[in-house]
């Protein structure tokens, strides 16, 4: 998500360490969920998986075949639940539309046990396919500082990313593993963190979505990349999937896409330092990448990043070689996308190469799924893309121990 206000701390003194090989090793050996390896480097691209007898895709493929068309479309969506005040009507709506992923939103001080009870209740009502439960990806924003959704008994108070960026990468990896362990104890299997955005020191807190809240690890890619990689490695070590965000970087804008329309980055190119930070994390094994909803005039001046095939297909998939799950920033309430109808938001994101539509407003899901289903009937190309996206989501679920085919 683009921003969430609360107090934070500032720090300096960066000590970058190369962690790509360490992260790749962690991702390869860390058991996510039921001891399934999460090495993104070893992942099979669903687009090329035909005829591949890779064990990593077997259960996902079996699950896909057992699903109804509506269930498959539901895997492309993530809707929000507020832990401090769960809305039973919204939860029922998401279940009706087979929504396969949940985002824990707002702020909760209930602690790990209460959160786990809530999550267990959601998981108990998850869809089944082929006689087996297809469990939910359950995510939250647990960056630290002003962006920490879950707190209370069992949860640490996490300092801001800018403070974390002042630590050695080995310290950060250890701390991140502890924070991820807390999430796992609460039933959360996906963290929408770390922020890989590079905020130039000259812009600093004038950068509304990131710098204003100390959400960046530092002011150069040389600092951000090893620290975001350390966060990823710690998360993998404790069996929680993590997300690099907000591709291709929100560090050089002034407006916040959550609250501002027409946010344009006039600086970032396909070879900018901000992109380099994402490239490092992708090479190290990041399983999820979240797109920005800003427009990047030097990459694709005509489309927001979330709706841009130049950003997602050409840059993220082709140039950087990312084969994991591409998740959107909020396409529900964010002002940056309000001018686009809800249905078109979902279709445009998926058409551009995205996989998982995040909406903090679940009431938009009926319109979004209807638009996606309609487009599927109209375009064989779109249908093929959607099938590949569902496979990527299911592959991630398998890595998180959320599928069972035994």
């Amino acid at each position: 998500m683009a921003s969430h206000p609360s107090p934070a701390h500032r720090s300096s003194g960066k000590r970058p360490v190369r962690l790509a090989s360490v992260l790749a090793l962690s991702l390869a050996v860390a058991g996510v969920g039921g001891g399934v390896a999460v090495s993104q480097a070893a992942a099979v691209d669903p687009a090329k998986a035909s005829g591949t007898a890779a064990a990593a895709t077997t259960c996902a493929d079996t699950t896909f075949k057992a699903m109804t068309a509506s269930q498959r479309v539901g895997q492309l969506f993530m809707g929000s639940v507020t832990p401090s005040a769960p809305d039973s009507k919204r939860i029922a709506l998401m279940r009706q539309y087979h929504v396969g992923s949940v985002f824990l939103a707002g702020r909760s001080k209930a602690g790990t046990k209460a959160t786990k009870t809530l999550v267990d209740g959601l998981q108990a009502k998850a869809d089944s396919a082929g006689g087996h439960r297809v469990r939910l990806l359950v995510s939250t924003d647990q960056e630290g500082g002003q962006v920490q959704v879950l707190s209370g008994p069992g949860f640490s108070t996490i300092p801001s990313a800018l403070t974390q960026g002042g630590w050695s990468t080995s310290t950060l990896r250890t701390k991140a593993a502890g924070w991820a362990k807390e999430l796992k104890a609460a039933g959360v299997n996906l963290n929408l963190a770390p922020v890989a955005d590079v905020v130039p020191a000259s812009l600093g807190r004038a950068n509304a979505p990131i710098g204003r809240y100390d959400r960046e690890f530092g002011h150069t890619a040389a600092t951000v990349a090893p620290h975001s990689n350390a966060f990823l490695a710690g998360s993998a070590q404790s069996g929680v999937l993590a997300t690099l965000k907000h591709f291709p970087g929100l560090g050089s804008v002034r407006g916040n896409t959550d609250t501002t329309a027409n946010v344009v980055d006039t600086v970032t190119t396909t070879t900018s330092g901000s992109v380099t930070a994402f490239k490092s994390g992708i090479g190290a094994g990041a399983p999820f990448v979240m797109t920005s909803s800003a427009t990047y005039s030097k990459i694709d001046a005509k489309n927001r990043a979330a709706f841009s095939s130049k950003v997602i297909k050409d840059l993220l998939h082709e140039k950087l070689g990312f084969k994991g799950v591409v998740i959107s920033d909020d396409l529900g309430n964010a002002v940056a996308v309000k001018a686009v109808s809800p249905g078109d938001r979902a279709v445009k994101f998926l058409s551009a190469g995205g996989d998982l539509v995040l909406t903090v407003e679940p009431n938009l899901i009926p319109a979004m799924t209807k638009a996606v289903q309609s487009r599927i009937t109209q375009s064989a190309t779109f249908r093929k893309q959607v099938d590949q996206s569902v496979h990527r989501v299911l592959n991630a679920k398998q890595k998180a121990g959320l599928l069972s085919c035994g």
Side-chain angles (χ1 to χ4, degrees), residues 27 34 42 54 77 89-90 95 112 118 120 129 183 197 203-204 217 262 293 297 302 329 371 381 401 403:
L27 289 169
F77 290 89
K89 289 184 179 179
R90 281 179 166 84
R95 187 183 181 197
T112 54
L118 170 66
D120 285 349
L183 288 176
D197 302 325
L203 189 56
F217 287 111
N262 303 315
S293 293
S297 61
K302 295 181 179 179
D329 202 343
T381 299
L403 300 185

Coordinates of all heavy atoms in Angstrom, one line a residue, residues 27 34 42 54 77 89-90 95 112 118 120 129 183 197 203-204 217 262 293 297 302 329 371 381 401 403:
L27 N 16.0 -19.0 0.5 CA 14.7 -19.3 -0.1 C 14.7 -20.8 -0.6 O 13.6 -21.4 -0.6 CB 14.5 -18.4 -1.3 CG 14.3 -16.9 -1.0 CD1 14.4 -16.1 -2.3 CD2 12.9 -16.8 -0.4
G34 N 4.3 -26.3 4.9 CA 4.6 -27.7 5.1 C 6.0 -28.1 4.5 O 6.1 -29.1 3.9
A42 N 14.3 -21.4 -8.7 CA 13.9 -22.8 -9.2 C 12.5 -22.9 -9.7 O 12.0 -23.9 -10.1 CB 14.2 -23.8 -8.1
A54 N 7.8 -31.1 -13.4 CA 8.4 -30.5 -12.2 C 7.5 -30.8 -11.0 O 6.3 -30.4 -11.1 CB 8.7 -29.0 -12.4
F77 N -7.9 -12.5 -7.0 CA -8.4 -11.4 -6.2 C -8.0 -11.5 -4.7 O -8.0 -12.6 -4.2 CB -9.9 -11.2 -6.3 CG -10.3 -10.6 -7.6 CD1 -10.6 -11.5 -8.7 CD2 -10.3 -9.3 -7.9 CE1 -11.0 -11.1 -9.9 CE2 -10.7 -8.8 -9.2 CZ -11.0 -9.7 -10.2
K89 N -20.5 -9.3 6.4 CA -21.1 -9.2 5.1 C -20.0 -9.1 4.0 O -20.2 -9.8 3.0 CB -22.0 -7.9 5.0 CG -23.2 -8.0 5.8 CD -24.1 -6.8 5.6 CE -25.4 -6.9 6.5 NZ -26.3 -5.7 6.3
R90 N -18.9 -8.4 4.2 CA -17.9 -8.3 3.3 C -17.2 -9.7 3.2 O -16.8 -10.2 2.1 CB -16.9 -7.3 3.6 CG -17.3 -5.8 3.2 CD -16.3 -4.8 3.7 NE -16.5 -3.5 3.0 CZ -17.4 -2.6 3.5 NH1 -18.1 -2.9 4.6 NH2 -17.5 -1.4 2.8
R95 N -16.4 -14.7 0.0 CA -16.6 -16.2 -0.1 C -17.5 -16.5 -1.3 O -17.2 -17.5 -2.0 CB -17.2 -16.7 1.2 CG -17.2 -18.3 1.2 CD -17.9 -18.8 2.5 NE -17.9 -20.2 2.5 CZ -18.7 -21.0 3.3 NH1 -19.5 -20.4 4.2 NH2 -18.6 -22.3 3.2
T112 N -1.1 -11.9 18.5 CA -1.0 -13.1 17.6 C -2.1 -14.1 17.8 O -2.6 -14.6 16.9 CB 0.4 -13.8 17.8 OG1 0.6 -14.1 19.2 CG2 1.5 -12.9 17.4
L118 N -8.9 -15.4 14.2 CA -9.7 -14.8 13.1 C -9.3 -15.5 11.8 O -10.1 -15.9 11.0 CB -9.3 -13.3 13.0 CG -9.8 -12.6 11.7 CD1 -11.3 -12.6 11.6 CD2 -9.2 -11.2 11.7
D120 N -7.9 -18.4 11.3 CA -8.4 -19.8 11.2 C -9.8 -19.9 10.8 O -10.2 -20.8 10.0 CB -8.2 -20.5 12.6 CG -6.7 -20.9 12.9 OD1 -5.9 -20.8 12.0 OD2 -6.4 -21.2 14.0
A129 N -11.4 -27.7 -3.9 CA -11.4 -28.2 -5.3 C -10.8 -29.6 -5.4 O -9.8 -29.9 -4.8 CB -10.5 -27.2 -6.2
L183 N 4.4 -13.3 12.5 CA 3.3 -13.3 11.5 C 2.8 -14.7 11.3 O 1.6 -15.0 11.3 CB 3.8 -12.7 10.2 CG 4.0 -11.2 10.1 CD1 4.6 -10.8 8.8 CD2 2.7 -10.5 10.4
D197 N 11.7 0.9 -2.6 CA 11.8 2.2 -3.3 C 13.0 3.0 -2.8 O 13.3 2.9 -1.6 CB 10.5 3.0 -3.0 CG 9.2 2.3 -3.4 OD1 9.3 1.6 -4.5 OD2 8.2 2.4 -2.7
L203 N 15.1 14.6 -2.0 CA 13.6 14.7 -2.0 C 13.2 14.4 -0.6 O 12.3 15.1 0.0 CB 13.1 13.7 -3.0 CG 11.6 13.7 -3.2 CD1 11.1 15.1 -3.7 CD2 11.2 12.6 -4.3
G204 N 13.7 13.4 0.0 CA 13.4 13.0 1.4 C 12.0 13.0 1.8 O 11.2 12.3 1.1
F217 N 14.6 2.2 3.1 CA 15.8 1.7 3.8 C 17.0 2.7 3.7 O 17.9 2.7 4.5 CB 16.3 0.3 3.3 CG 15.4 -0.8 3.6 CD1 14.6 -1.5 2.7 CD2 15.3 -1.3 5.0 CE1 13.8 -2.5 3.0 CE2 14.5 -2.3 5.3 CZ 13.7 -3.0 4.4
N262 N -3.3 11.4 -10.7 CA -2.3 11.8 -11.7 C -0.9 12.0 -11.1 O -0.2 13.0 -11.4 CB -2.8 13.1 -12.4 CG -4.1 13.0 -13.1 OD1 -4.4 12.0 -13.8 ND2 -5.0 13.9 -12.8
S293 N 1.0 2.5 -8.7 CA -0.1 3.0 -9.5 C 0.2 4.4 -10.0 O -0.7 5.1 -10.5 CB -1.4 3.1 -8.6 OG -1.9 1.8 -8.3
S297 N 6.7 8.6 -17.0 CA 6.7 9.2 -18.3 C 7.8 8.7 -19.2 O 7.7 8.7 -20.4 CB 6.7 10.7 -18.2 OG 7.9 11.2 -17.5
K302 N 1.7 6.8 -21.2 CA 0.2 6.7 -21.5 C -0.5 5.9 -20.4 O -1.8 6.0 -20.4 CB 0.0 6.1 -22.9 CG 0.5 7.0 -24.0 CD 0.2 6.4 -25.4 CE 0.7 7.3 -26.5 NZ 0.5 6.6 -27.8
D329 N -1.0 -2.7 -6.2 CA -1.3 -1.9 -5.0 C -2.8 -1.8 -5.0 O -3.5 -2.3 -5.9 CB -0.6 -0.5 -5.1 CG -0.4 0.2 -3.8 OD1 -1.1 -0.2 -2.8 OD2 0.3 1.2 -3.7
A371 N -16.3 -8.3 -15.0 CA -15.6 -7.8 -16.1 C -14.5 -8.7 -16.6 O -14.3 -8.9 -17.8 CB -14.9 -6.4 -15.7
T381 N -6.6 -14.7 -26.0 CA -5.3 -14.2 -25.4 C -5.4 -13.9 -24.0 O -4.6 -14.3 -23.1 CB -4.8 -13.0 -26.2 OG1 -4.6 -13.3 -27.6 CG2 -3.5 -12.5 -25.7
G401 N 2.6 -24.0 1.5 CA 1.9 -25.1 2.1 C 0.4 -25.0 2.2 O -0.2 -25.6 3.1
L403 N -1.8 -25.8 -0.3 CA -2.5 -26.7 -1.2 C -2.2 -28.1 -0.7 O -1.1 -28.4 -0.1 CB -2.0 -26.6 -2.6 CG -2.2 -25.3 -3.3 CD1 -1.8 -25.4 -4.8 CD2 -3.6 -24.8 -3.3

